[in-house]
């Protein structure tokens, strides 16, 4: 279970909050519109009305307690930019910000966002799965249950060969490729894990999420 703060209860923020709540995460939602918060307060326990461009309001939320802070504001980019910068200033562990264009993405990254999401391309359900996992970075769905996932190798795998881990039987996954510093290759059975790898694996979503938590 993770503590996740979502700022901005537009349709995307709302769907993300509900999906994460269903996954069992501890979700806190914030919006300056009292009506939006009231409509969700019976589903999300931690729901607050606040203007998050005010640093004191963010301080009251205890930013450092959250594993992920999501800035899901889409209508007011200036507010999104200000909030992202304030979250960074307050020591947020991980900031995910919503962008509608490449130029917005660049400014949000400069302000301190660790990850940028484009709602037109990335669904709230996809982001929820990524936020819910510690070592899952991206994925492509092949069906309702099966997909190709980019994950980080477990620490316990370091120094061991691919064939010795028996990943298919132990974790129900198969390695498709691995990436080190943006160089992608297909590992042999004798490949020794160093801990620097990102792996592309194919498997059931539930199995992969459990592996990466």
């Amino acid at each position: 279970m993770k503590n996740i703060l979502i700022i901005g209860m537009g349709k995307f923020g709302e769907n993300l909050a509900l999906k994460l709540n269903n996954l069992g995460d501890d979700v806190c939602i914030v919006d300056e519109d009292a009506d939006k918060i009231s409509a969700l307060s019976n589903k999300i326990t931690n729901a607050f009305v606040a203007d998050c461009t005010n640093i004191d309001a963010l301080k009251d939320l205890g930013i450092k307690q959250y594993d992920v802070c999501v800035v899901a504001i889409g209508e007011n980019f200036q507010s999104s930019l200000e909030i992202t910068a304030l979250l960074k200033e307050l020591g947020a562990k991980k900031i995910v910000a919503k962008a509608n264009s490449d130029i917005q993405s660049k400014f949000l990254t400069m302000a301190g966002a660790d990850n940028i999401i484009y709602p037109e391309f990335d669904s709230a359900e996809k982001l929820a799965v990524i936020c819910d996992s510690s070592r899952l970075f991206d994925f492509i769905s092949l069906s309702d249950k099966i997909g190709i996932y980019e994950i980080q190798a477990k620490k316990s795998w370091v120094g061991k060969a691919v064939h010795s881990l028996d990943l298919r039987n132990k974790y129900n996954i198969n390695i498709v490729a691995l990436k080190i510093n943006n160089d992608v290759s297909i590992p042999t059975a004798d490949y020794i894990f160093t801990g620097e790898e990102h792996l592309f694996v194919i498997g059931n979503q539930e199995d992969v999420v459990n592996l990466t938590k």
Side-chain angles (χ1 to χ4, degrees):
M1 183 181 76
K2 287 195 170 186
N3 292 329
I4 300 175
L5 172 66
I6 305 174
I7 300 170
M9 285 297 104
K11 183 56 66 177
F12 184 80
E14 177 183 341
N15 288 339
L16 178 61
L18 294 174
K19 175 64 177 179
L20 285 167
N21 190 59
N22 290 338
L23 287 170
D25 291 302
D26 189 359
V27 181
C28 176
I29 60 172
V30 185
D31 197 287
E32 60 182 356
D33 188 329
D35 290 337
K36 290 181 179 179
I37 293 299
S38 177
L40 291 168
S41 59
N42 63 328
K43 299 177 182 178
I44 308 292
T45 304
N46 297 318
F48 301 97
V49 178
D51 176 8
C52 289
T53 59
N54 184 325
I55 192 169
D56 290 328
L58 286 177
K59 286 180 179 178
D60 289 341
L61 292 170
I63 296 304
K64 290 184 179 180
Q65 71 177 300
Y66 297 103
D67 298 300
V68 183
C69 295
V70 181
V71 183
I73 298 171
E75 303 79 19
N76 188 332
F77 179 66
Q78 181 64 34
S79 292
S80 181
L81 195 61
E82 290 178 14
I83 292 168
T84 299
L86 290 174
L87 288 170
K88 188 69 173 180
E89 181 181 335
L90 293 173
K93 296 175 184 176
K94 182 177 182 179
I95 304 170
V96 179
K98 175 183 174 183
N100 295 321
S101 66
D102 288 339
I103 190 65
Q104 287 188 2
S105 172
K106 290 178 182 178
F107 278 112
L108 288 166
T109 300
M110 290 170 61
D114 299 295
N115 293 91
I116 304 297
I117 50 111
Y118 296 86
E120 290 81 3
F121 306 102
D122 298 326
S123 70
E125 181 171 354
K126 178 176 180 178
L127 178 58
V129 172
I130 293 172
C131 286
D132 189 55
S133 303
S134 300
R135 300 187 306 276
L136 197 161
F137 300 94
D138 200 1
F139 70 89
I140 299 171
S141 293
L142 301 179
S143 70
D144 290 341
K145 295 182 178 180
I146 304 299
I148 297 175
Y149 302 83
E150 180 184 352
I151 68 172
Q152 186 175 12
K154 291 172 66 69
K155 291 182 179 180
S156 60
W157 298 355
V158 175
K160 298 178 181 178
V162 171
H163 69 81
S164 70
L165 294 172
D166 196 17
L167 300 178
R168 180 69 183 88
N169 290 319
K170 287 184 178 178
Y171 302 104
N172 200 27
I173 61 170
N174 286 315
I175 297 177
V176 177
L178 62 82
K179 180 174 71 174
I180 301 177
N181 296 326
N182 293 320
D183 291 327
V184 179
S185 61
I186 300 175
T188 65
D190 294 325
Y191 177 82
I192 306 295
F193 287 103
T194 66
E196 298 179 357
E197 304 90 352
H198 279 199
L199 307 179
F200 294 95
V201 302
I202 187 168
N204 182 289
Q205 182 181 105
E206 183 177 354
D207 293 328
V208 176
V209 169
N210 288 336
L211 172 64
T212 56
K213 282 188 174 181

